Amino acid sequence: MTRVRLQYFAALREHAGRSEEVLESSAATLADLYEELRLRHGFVLDASRIRAAVSERYVPLETPLTENMQITFIPPVAGG
Amino acid sequence: MFRLAATPLDPSRLSHELKNPRAGALATFEGWVRNHDDARAVDGLEYEAFESMAESVGQDLVGQAIERFSLIDALVVHRIGRTEVGDLAIWVGATAEHRQEAFLACRWIMDRIKEDLPIWKRESYTKGGEATWVHAGASSLSHSEDPATNPYYARQVTLDWIGPAGQRKLAQSRVLVIGAGGLGCPALQYLAAAGVGTLRICDGDRIDETNLHRQILFSAHEIGQNKAEVAAERIRALNPHIAVSAIADAATGARLPELVTEVDVVLDCTDSFEAKYMIHDACWQAGTVLVQAAVYQLEGQIQVIDPRAEAGCFRCLWPEAPPSGCVGNCAEAGVLGVTPGLLGLYQAIETLKLLVGGENSLRDATLLVDVLSGRTQRILRSAREDCVCRGGTPWPNTPDHLLFPGRGAQELLANATVIDLREDHERLQDPEWIRALPHLPRAMWPALLREFPERPLVLCCAAGLRSRECVDLLEHPPEVYAWTRPIAEIARYR
Ligand SMILES: [Zn+2]
């Protein structure tokens, strides 16, 4: 199990009902983790439609999970 | 290359100089000496240049154009000395692999030359009268006073970061704000007040009561009026020292590539993915910097997309627009007025940094802003090697590929039934060929497949948003295509 710190942005925050959480996951990659969260929080978008940032940099969703990783999930946003 | 010429110009010889087997297009512009200026009859013009300086400024502009539009070559020849009515005063030619770059470059060069080149003209009037030397671009310049000493800007010129030089740079800058809504209103106010010399405001929408809580340039008694026009009026009152113009049109129309070419910075203040992708693609291809923001409820994000930076384009990060309906806009998801307000201000400061030259620009990052917690997060972007911006594959939005992945528009439209989805009242002013098209107002959309059993179908509307919406509504039936450009543009392919 890997312990990670998550932040949600925009619609993801709305669906998760929180802007951050710390959890333990057995997911291998960010994409796997997001799929897990999608089922848990009822996110509408699948993993191909969102972006992830780790340590203040966009990273591919294939990035493997590491202990204490700080992850932000970002959906597309278009309001104005 | 740029040169001055004291003898009459011969366009065919000039075109010949640009011959190159790699070139697929040559766009040329000819400036002629005309027989009047305002109401006064003119029988000729004398041009005088500060020659060495004109040549170096001209050479520099041509070099910039070649780089900016990936031209093969460009040639500009400006007359000096005495010219008669009908003479060529200037000739501009640009060669490129494709027509788009050649057209855009030709116009860009001409606009710049008018403003930047140290060439003066003296008109001689048929009826006599005082002939004075004026800057050749004088008619397009309205700044008579030095912005650096204008009391309007006194408090900001004092800042080291701006100073007299920065203030003059702002006065010479041109900015296009697309969307005069929640983001556009505050951005416009601060850009105008800071002294951006030319502001263009583009918005085809009318003010609605549900806009007022966040679109703070508008008053309750202006409901129903065009947003760009009302915003321009407000902004002119705020700062009479700048030039403000309104374009009461959806920016996504045919003029977009031209509009974004004419300015230094574009602000995307729109609220749909459709518009965001179109604006982005047009800016990137024109080499114009884009300051892009978007909000969701109490959060927003802003980034600067600079074709000259290393961080890649918007599509490097978000290759395609998400399917509509899965991510809410303001109407669907709700929004607090402060959120676009704050993000619009971020757009204004990023724009000023680009124009004056500041550090810590968002050219290589996205800033996430959470209004409620007051937290911001800066996320570094980087280019994606297989992105359209790196070449190789065509841009999804170039007209021929616009909506018909894998199919040319020409081939498709040759045997498609074209259906107009606009309301009856929108068709009144149209040319005969458009009015002759079968049409289906919004209330009838669900019946489309039953009403029109033939295939393929191409759905059209005013700017391309509704056609996409209708295809989405019907869940993308096979052989039914959305035309995401203005309906009139179909004429090019039929
Ligand atoms: Zn890219």
Side-chain angles (χ1 to χ4, degrees), chain B residues 246-493:
Chain B
I247 301 153
D249 228 347
T252 44
R255 290 178 65 198
L256 185 60
E258 186 183 316
L259 289 172
V260 304
T261 303
E262 293 167 346
V263 295
D264 303 300
V265 180
V266 171
L267 275 71
D268 174 358
C269 301
T270 63
D271 63 355
S272 77
F273 287 109
E274 178 91 49
K276 287 202 178 314
Y277 279 83
M278 278 191 181
I279 293 165
H280 165 267
D281 292 354
C283 286
W284 187 273
Q285 290 171 82
T288 304
V289 198
L290 172 66
V291 180
Q292 191 193 52
V295 299
Y296 187 85
Q297 297 182 342
L298 292 152
E299 288 156 280
Q301 55 174 278
I302 166 168
Q303 54 200 349
V304 174
I305 310 286
D306 182 351
R308 277 166 298 271
E310 300 294 304
C313 76
F314 182 57
R315 287 185 186 268
C316 285
L317 200 53
W318 304 98
E320 299 288 337
S324 71
C326 71
V327 189
N329 62 19
C330 292
E332 295 151 5
V335 65
L336 185 73
V338 173
T339 317
L342 191 57
L343 271 292
L345 295 184
Y346 271 112
Q347 285 184 288
I349 186 62
E350 285 305 315
T351 305
L352 296 178
K353 282 190 227 171
L354 290 164
L355 298 175
V356 175
E359 298 289 300
N360 300 317
S361 150
L362 292 171
R363 287 157 83 237
D364 60 352
T366 307
L367 189 72
L368 303 182
V369 181
D370 178 348
V371 173
L372 210 53
S373 70
R375 212 163 39 191
T376 61
Q377 198 180 338
R378 188 186 168 100
I379 300 175
L380 282 178
R381 292 182 285 123
S382 49
R384 183 168 51 83
E385 284 315 313
D386 57 347
C387 180
V388 279
C389 71
R390 305 266 128 172
T393 45
W395 285 82
N397 273 1
T398 49
D400 293 300
H401 300 88
L402 201 56
L403 316 167
F404 318 116
R407 278 187 92 154
Q410 199 114 37
E411 172 209 347
L412 177 65
L413 285 166
N415 48 31
T417 304
V418 175
I419 298 163
D420 183 353
L421 296 181
R422 294 173 306 159
E423 303 302 307
D424 289 342
H425 66 88
E426 293 176 89
R427 298 163 45 91
L428 303 174
Q429 308 293 326
D430 282 336
E432 193 51 47
W433 73 269
I434 293 184
R435 275 186 292 152
L437 296 174
H439 87 288
L440 202 69
R442 184 183 285 268
M444 297 287 291
W445 289 359
L448 180 104
L449 301 177
R450 200 172 60 241
E451 292 286 317
F452 298 98
E454 57 273 47
R455 295 291 179 273
L457 296 181
V458 174
L459 310 181
C460 297
C461 61
L465 297 174
R466 275 175 281 177
S467 58
R468 174 67 62 87
E469 201 185 324
C470 182
V471 170
D472 286 343
L473 174 84
L474 301 172
E475 294 173 336
H476 299 261
E479 295 288 290
V480 177
Y481 300 90
W483 180 256
T484 64
R485 305 285 291 180
I487 189 166
E489 281 189 42
I490 284 189
R492 288 218 309 255
Y493 298 96

Side-chain angles (χ1 to χ4, degrees), chain B residues 89-328:
Chain B
I90 184 169
W91 188 89
V92 178
T95 51
E97 284 181 26
H98 306 289
R99 67 184 187 283
Q100 179 85 332
E101 290 78 16
F103 275 129
L104 295 174
C106 200
R107 181 181 186 122
W108 184 88
I109 291 173
M110 200 47 223
D111 286 347
R112 283 289 148 141
I113 292 244
K114 273 210 107 158
E115 298 202 356
D116 296 349
L117 210 62
I119 289 190
W120 290 266
K121 63 181 178 186
R122 186 167 64 172
E123 291 168 340
S124 49
Y125 305 111
T126 5
K127 292 191 171 164
E130 187 76 3
T132 50
W133 289 102
V134 292
H135 185 258
S139 52
S140 65
L141 287 176
S142 55
H143 329 291
S144 51
E145 54 197 318
D146 181 359
T149 56
N150 188 335
Y152 192 102
Y153 309 114
R155 293 292 178 275
Q156 103 183 11
V157 171
T158 318
L159 294 172
D160 286 344
W161 183 61
I162 302 267
Q167 195 62 54
R168 290 188 196 111
K169 270 192 205 165
L170 290 177
Q172 283 156 13
S173 303
R174 286 172 289 195
V175 170
L176 170 67
V177 176
I178 306 180
L183 294 163
C185 286
L188 280 165
Q189 285 178 302
Y190 278 92
L191 291 175
V196 171
T198 303
L199 272 178
R200 295 188 183 141
I201 309 168
C202 187
D203 201 318
D205 277 0
R206 292 177 182 286
I207 300 165
D208 179 270
E209 194 166 7
T210 61
N211 299 148
L212 298 178
H213 82 119
R214 67 185 186 284
Q215 305 184 8
I216 42 139
L217 282 173
F218 310 133
S219 310
H221 70 269
E222 288 158 336
I223 288 168
Q225 297 184 46
N226 173 267
K227 289 183 186 176
E229 282 165 2
V230 175
E233 202 179 301
R234 276 297 131 73
I235 292 302
R236 276 185 209 112
L238 175 66
N239 186 349
H241 308 292
I242 60 171
V244 182
S245 56
I247 301 153
D249 228 347
T252 44
R255 290 178 65 198
L256 185 60
E258 186 183 316
L259 289 172
V260 304
T261 303
E262 293 167 346
V263 295
D264 303 300
V265 180
V266 171
L267 275 71
D268 174 358
C269 301
T270 63
D271 63 355
S272 77
F273 287 109
E274 178 91 49
K276 287 202 178 314
Y277 279 83
M278 278 191 181
I279 293 165
H280 165 267
D281 292 354
C283 286
W284 187 273
Q285 290 171 82
T288 304
V289 198
L290 172 66
V291 180
Q292 191 193 52
V295 299
Y296 187 85
Q297 297 182 342
L298 292 152
E299 288 156 280
Q301 55 174 278
I302 166 168
Q303 54 200 349
V304 174
I305 310 286
D306 182 351
R308 277 166 298 271
E310 300 294 304
C313 76
F314 182 57
R315 287 185 186 268
C316 285
L317 200 53
W318 304 98
E320 299 288 337
S324 71
C326 71
V327 189

